Amino acid sequence: MTVLTLNQASEIVDAALGHARELGLRPLTVTVLDPGGHPLVVKREEKAGILRPQIAHAKAWGSLGTGQGGAAGARHATRDPAFFAALASISEGRIASSKGGVLIRDEAGDLLGSIGVSGDRPDNDEAVALFGIEKAGLVADAG
């Protein structure tokens, strides 16, 4: 099984932030976690809201915890809000089921970690997450 390196995680974050600047998005925070939910890289742009690091972490952590990208989690939360309220309680508030949380896989499909992006609209957060992962030559699993 492949391991997500610090260099790869940094490349993902930098590519995501660079793409966000090209698109003219609001200031973002981007977090990459290893499969155990531990941060490898966290970057918060100047003027990003003070809760953005926690939100980005919760998006990435929620994807790892549920085993699916935030897009799938958001759809599921719409269909079964009571279940996701329970997940929020079980996780002690550490989970956010929203676009912008994406699993990172290698070409064989093995889980390497996750990314969480927060600061703009969920669709835009997800778009830059996907861009960063793909730019690093890895496989994005948004759900």
Side-chain angles (χ1 to χ4, degrees):
M1 182 165 118
T2 310
V3 174
L4 185 65
T5 67
L6 179 60
N7 285 340
Q8 288 173 306
S10 294
E11 182 181 355
I12 291 167
V13 171
D14 291 342
L17 290 172
H19 191 54
R21 290 309 103 235
E22 291 170 0
L23 297 174
L25 302 184
R26 291 180 280 196
L28 300 179
T29 297
V30 182
T31 299
V32 172
L33 305 180
D34 70 14
H38 305 286
L40 286 170
V41 176
V42 178
K43 284 194 176 183
R44 180 188 159 274
E45 289 185 305
E46 301 86 352
K47 299 185 181 179
I50 63 171
L51 286 177
R52 294 301 175 186
Q54 291 87 342
I55 296 167
H57 186 95
K59 287 181 178 186
W61 198 85
S63 292
L64 286 172
T66 62
Q68 60 187 3
R75 287 190 306 273
H76 192 157
T78 301
R79 290 190 310 267
D80 192 355
F83 176 71
F84 277 84
L87 278 182
S89 177
I90 292 165
S91 70
E92 299 175 348
R94 294 181 291 174
I95 190 170
S97 295
S98 176
K99 287 185 174 184
V102 178
L103 296 173
I104 303 167
R105 298 187 182 277
D106 64 14
E107 288 185 11
D110 291 326
L111 180 66
L112 303 179
S114 64
I115 184 173
V117 179
S118 179
D120 205 277
R121 295 181 26 140
D123 288 339
N124 291 334
D125 291 348
E126 182 177 271
V128 299
L130 296 172
F131 182 89
I133 294 167
E134 291 166 4
K135 186 77 170 174
L138 299 168
V139 179
D141 180 357

